Amino acid sequence: MAFQDLAAIFIVLSPGIAAAIAGLGQRVLGDKGSMAITTGILVLAAALASVVFYNQVFGHHEGPAHGHTLTLMRWFDVGTFVADWAIRIDTLSVVMMFVVTAVAALVHIYSIGYMADDPHRARFFAYLSLFTFAMLMLVTADNFIQLFFGWEGVGLASYLLIGFWYKKPSANDAAIKAFVVNRVGDFGFALGVMALVFVMQVPAEFLGADGKPTVAYLEMLHVEKYSSIGFDTVFNAIVANAPVQPIGATSAVPIQQVTFDFLGQHVWGLEVIGVLLFIGAMGKSAQVFLHTCLPDAMEGPTPVSALIHAATMVTAGVFLVCRCSYLYEHTVVAANVVTVIGAVTCFFAATVGLAQNDIKRVVAYSTCSQLGYMFFAAGVGAYQAAMFHLFTHAFFKALLFLSAGAVIHGMHHEQDMRNMGGLRKKMPLTWAMMLIGTLALTGVGIPGIEQLHYGFAGFYSKDAIIESAYASHDTFAQFAFWLSIVAAFLTSFYSWRLMFMTFEGKTRADHHTYDHAHDPPVSMALPLVLLAVGAVAAGGVFYSAFVDHHQAEFWGSAIFNGPENHVLHDRHEVPFWVLVAPAMAWISGLVFAIIFYLLAPSVPRKMAAHGGPMHSFLSHKWYFDEIYHFVFVRGAALLGDLFWKVGDKKLIDGIGPDGVTGVAKASAGGLSKLHTGYLFHYALVILLSAVVFAAFVLLGQGR
């Protein structure tokens, strides 16, 4: 077995083994032993992933697919429903393995210092490794069922991590909220997988005597075995427009022309599947309508925020859409839905970030906004640009979260930026690291000369997305382009607002807290420095491979790259003003932030104190939480009360067991009054009964 294969097996499975050892062996190993095992294994996994990633980027590839699948064992084998435990090794999975393990390893190291005083460190590190294992199972899946396993695994682990401080009611509420919101999205994902199984049935004429697909059909799909939920089977069938015979259909039809009834409507099969899968992606990646758990996730320890929001769970939705590029390239409605939701999320989250005062929540909403960029890039067909931004975003967003954690750690768990200020002298390293993260997030660079590699990581990836949106001819591409420019301006403004409110001017902190503010220890500082290197260099170094001259060779067949999709080529032909528009946006945001928070800091304070409808609208996050609470929480409570108090207690119980019991009790009470103990009462009853009985007898005889 080749080194790359052995390395992949270790990378994927070792975090799960480490989580089991640390979690189950806590009493034997102790906190330090559990921390050492989980951190050591993750560092080794990250090192191996780096080697595999380097070989993928700079090595020589064999074959157009640039990868293969390692089958570990058979999982399901029922008719055409076949699923293996497998590790898919191609460019997409290799990139994700590197990103996930690199950030997870640095978060483990950072947590050694950050969680030094926590009494439950072993449990925390076990949860971190469990989360990493689930994410790796997700990104290396070879079929939708294994992907769903990892999908649910990261949902479970995020619930455990967000609610880690379970004695805090707010942490418990946030964990439950995240779990419930994810379940809504996951329901859509599950329906999408079911729809795939419904559609991906072998036509009768291609079934052999054993009920298995014929060799001719397998050759048509270029697969060795048929799996109705296997990536190769599904995507090859879509590209070849192979005949399928959905369940209940009497004849075969090309898969791109499959239609069926769904919710009373006659719909195109691939469009419905694409939309349902994207609903799952919306839940995992906090897109608008399913984003409400995002700020509450900040209730967990800061390393959790960095792990969830930088490289793991929230990027799972983007990964899913890019993995399914072969599907979305053959849809119109589903791709447009991805574009619109991504663009609206990009703008929505940027507006909300303007009014947040919790340092972690500002960074969290910037994550939501950047995910919107990734989604609308995929929606317009620039899947490579979406993955490139996912890649660079992992570095600078993890850097921003961990830098925010360093501020919180140095300020004795203070998170409100209104109680900070003047920290640059107290925390120079943290200031420098957050400055680099801010420069990368806002996309600072010189436009039009990307080939000179002159700019921070976010400059290359974000500008590639914006240019692709303008170059695309899709229906909603221009809508996404203009919202992305506005969002770039807002992102710059609230990012520099964070920098100025936290590090510049006179301190607004308690004097005792400010006097003891300090930079983080070495265990926390080292990950910051390493992430800063990525935030500076990742864009320029990997630009050509990800989205430019060598992208076709680099991605191979991992992402759809047919001749009909030429958006990455067309983006080089956009007007010059399109190239400089993002730069004008971040410069304008910086200028406004300087005016409001350095030159005239009293103005925003007066605006906040005065309130007003716009400030209230943004500070309440467009009132999504309030609307959802009224419609779903209170609505569910009212519906529950209706069914419980009226339906159950009054109707069912009232007419049923309680009613029968009441009648029997009342009858017994009435009859008991006849038992007086007087002989003449009993004689009267006997006489009356005899008269009634005789009357019935006579009436029955017709007399």
Side-chain angles (χ1 to χ4, degrees):
M1 188 177 288
F3 165 78
Q4 181 167 285
D5 295 345
L6 290 172
I9 293 174
F10 180 86
I11 291 167
V12 174
L13 300 181
S14 60
I17 297 172
I21 293 174
L24 301 177
Q26 174 184 358
R27 294 186 178 181
V28 177
L29 297 171
D31 287 339
K32 292 185 178 179
S34 299
M35 291 161 60
I37 288 175
T38 53
T39 304
I41 287 179
L42 255 298
V43 170
L44 179 57
L48 290 173
S50 301
V51 174
V52 174
F53 176 68
Y54 178 87
N55 291 337
Q56 192 73 16
V57 177
F58 301 106
H60 298 285
H61 311 298
E62 295 181 2
H66 295 185
H68 56 284
T69 298
L70 297 176
T71 301
L72 303 179
M73 64 183 71
R74 181 58 56 88
W75 190 9
F76 290 99
D77 193 346
V78 182
T80 61
F81 189 80
V82 178
D84 294 325
W85 285 111
I87 298 175
R88 187 181 182 90
I89 303 175
D90 60 10
T91 306
L92 201 57
S93 61
V94 166
V95 168
M96 291 302 297
M97 278 195 289
F98 170 71
V99 169
V100 170
T101 55
V103 173
L106 294 176
V107 167
H108 275 72
I109 296 172
Y110 180 93
S111 299
I112 293 175
Y114 192 88
M115 303 294 288
D117 298 326
D118 196 280
H120 304 292
R121 287 171 290 174
R123 178 165 59 88
F124 180 76
F125 277 77
Y127 288 169
L128 287 182
S129 293
L130 175 64
F131 192 106
T132 308
F133 167 69
M135 190 65 192
L136 289 169
M137 289 297 292
L138 189 159
V139 301
T140 59
D142 189 49
N143 56 76
F144 284 95
I145 294 299
Q146 184 181 333
L147 190 148
F148 189 68
F149 169 81
W151 198 266
E152 294 303 304
V154 293
L156 169 64
S158 66
Y159 168 80
L160 296 173
L161 286 168
I162 294 170
F164 178 75
W165 287 322
Y166 58 88
K167 294 184 179 180
K168 289 174 56 179
S170 58
N172 284 326
D173 292 343
I176 293 171
K177 186 176 181 180
F179 196 79
V180 170
V181 172
N182 269 273
R183 296 291 70 72
V184 176
D186 293 352
F187 181 65
F189 183 93
L191 287 178
V193 176
M194 294 175 194
L196 270 174
V197 176
F198 175 83
V199 169
M200 290 292 299
Q201 297 300 308
V202 183
E205 59 266 30
F206 289 102
L207 285 176
D210 58 354
K212 299 292 184 181
T214 61
V215 175
Y217 195 68
L218 295 178
E219 290 177 348
M220 182 191 304
L221 300 184
H222 303 289
V223 294
E224 295 181 0
K225 64 178 182 294
Y226 189 88
S227 170
S228 58
I229 40 81
F231 293 150
D232 286 337
T233 304
V234 173
F235 300 152
N236 290 353
I238 293 173
V239 172
N241 201 16
V244 292
Q245 188 171 347
I247 296 174
T250 57
S251 60
V253 63
I255 189 171
Q256 294 180 24
Q257 280 76 52
V258 168
T259 60
F260 54 80
D261 291 327
F262 182 74
L263 297 178
Q265 301 294 321
H266 200 64
V267 295
W268 291 100
L270 293 185
E271 299 286 4
V272 170
I273 292 170
V275 171
L276 290 173
L277 292 177
F278 177 62
I279 291 174
M282 289 174 62
K284 275 291 181 287
S285 296
Q287 294 301 280
V288 69
F289 300 121
L290 294 180
H291 68 281
T292 52
C293 63
L294 183 77
D296 301 87
M298 299 301 102
E299 289 292 336
T302 298
V304 172
S305 304
L307 187 62
I308 292 177
H309 288 264
T312 50
M313 190 179 81
V314 296
T315 62
V318 179
F319 168 80
L320 172 65
V321 174
C322 292
R323 173 61 83 192
C324 296
S325 58
Y326 288 89
L327 167 64
Y328 286 100
E329 274 299 303
H330 292 85
T331 66
V332 176
V333 175
N336 285 335
V337 169
V338 175
T339 302
V340 171
I341 294 295
V344 171
T345 302
C346 168
F347 172 75
F348 155 75
T351 62
V352 174
L354 299 173
Q356 299 303 304
N357 295 309
D358 186 308
I359 189 171
K360 286 172 63 176
R361 295 197 176 200
V362 174
V363 182
Y365 275 106
S366 78
T367 299
C368 187
S369 182
Q370 298 307 304
L371 289 167
Y373 277 96
M374 301 175 205
F375 273 113
F376 80 69
V380 301
Y383 308 99
Q384 299 88 340
M387 287 302 301
F388 189 32
H389 198 47
L390 185 156
F391 178 78
T392 61
H393 176 265
F395 293 103
F396 60 75
K397 189 50 57 68
L399 176 62
L400 287 170
F401 265 116
L402 296 185
S403 297
V407 172
I408 296 168
H409 183 268
M411 290 288 289
H412 302 284
H413 303 288
E414 176 61 65
Q415 296 185 198
D416 195 327
M417 296 186 299
R418 293 171 295 186
N419 298 326
M420 298 180 185
L423 292 178
R424 178 156 57 94
K425 295 180 180 179
K426 290 286 186 176
M427 310 175 72
L429 175 65
T430 304
W431 169 79
M433 296 299 99
M434 187 158 275
L435 176 63
I436 292 173
T438 300
L439 293 171
L441 170 63
T442 54
V444 174
I446 300 179
I449 55 172
E450 297 97 331
Q451 63 273 20
L452 296 182
H453 298 170
Y454 198 81
F456 289 83
F459 160 68
Y460 292 94
S461 56
K462 185 190 289 186
D463 282 26
I465 290 175
I466 294 174
E467 293 161 14
S468 298
Y470 184 86
S472 173
H473 299 292
D474 286 0
T475 306
F476 295 98
Q478 294 303 307
F479 171 77
F481 168 77
W482 287 110
L483 282 189
S484 69
I485 295 297
V486 176
F489 163 73
L490 298 176
T491 299
S492 177
F493 180 79
Y494 69 66
S495 297
W496 290 109
R497 171 180 178 263
L498 182 152
M499 287 294 299
F500 298 153
M501 288 185 68
T502 304
F503 295 102
E504 306 300 333
K506 295 182 180 179
T507 185
R508 299 173 298 280
D510 174 79
H511 287 295
H512 176 77
T513 302
Y514 180 77
D515 292 341
H516 290 84
H518 56 83
D519 265 326
V522 175
S523 63
M524 294 172 63
L526 178 61
L528 297 180
V529 174
L530 294 176
L531 289 168
V533 173
V536 172
V541 172
F542 299 105
Y543 174 77
S544 179
F546 273 76
V547 294
D548 205 35
H549 302 300
H550 299 98
Q551 61 87 15
E553 176 188 356
F554 176 67
W555 291 108
S557 63
I559 290 178
F560 181 85
N561 197 24
E564 61 270 33
N565 184 341
H566 40 76
V567 65
L568 287 182
H569 176 269
D570 291 348
R571 75 182 184 85
H572 292 293
E573 309 298 328
V574 299
F576 182 74
W577 70 266
V578 175
L579 300 178
V580 301
M584 293 300 99
W586 74 256
I587 291 172
S588 301
L590 172 60
V591 171
F592 274 91
I594 290 173
I595 294 173
F596 276 89
Y597 293 97
L598 291 183
L599 302 181
S602 60
V603 174
R605 285 199 292 268
K606 291 179 181 178
M607 292 174 63
H610 181 265
M614 183 56 68
H615 182 272
S616 178
F617 182 68
L618 297 181
S619 62
H620 286 87
K621 299 160 289 197
W622 290 27
Y623 291 101
F624 270 106
D625 281 306
E626 288 79 1
I627 293 171
Y628 284 0
H629 182 79
F630 177 79
V631 174
F632 297 111
V633 178
R634 291 189 60 187
L638 290 173
L639 192 63
D641 285 345
L642 176 65
F643 284 127
W644 169 42
K645 295 180 179 179
V646 178
D648 190 24
K649 296 195 71 173
K650 291 188 177 181
L651 295 179
I652 297 175
D653 287 348
I655 298 175
D658 288 348
V660 173
T661 302
V663 171
K665 185 177 180 181
S667 300
L671 292 173
S672 66
K673 294 178 180 179
L674 298 177
H675 295 275
T676 61
Y678 295 106
L679 183 60
F680 59 86
H681 284 169
Y682 296 141
L684 177 62
V685 171
I686 292 171
L687 179 61
L688 291 175
S689 299
V691 172
V692 172
F693 178 75
F696 273 107
V697 171
L698 293 174
L699 288 173
Q701 294 177 354
R703 295 183 181 178

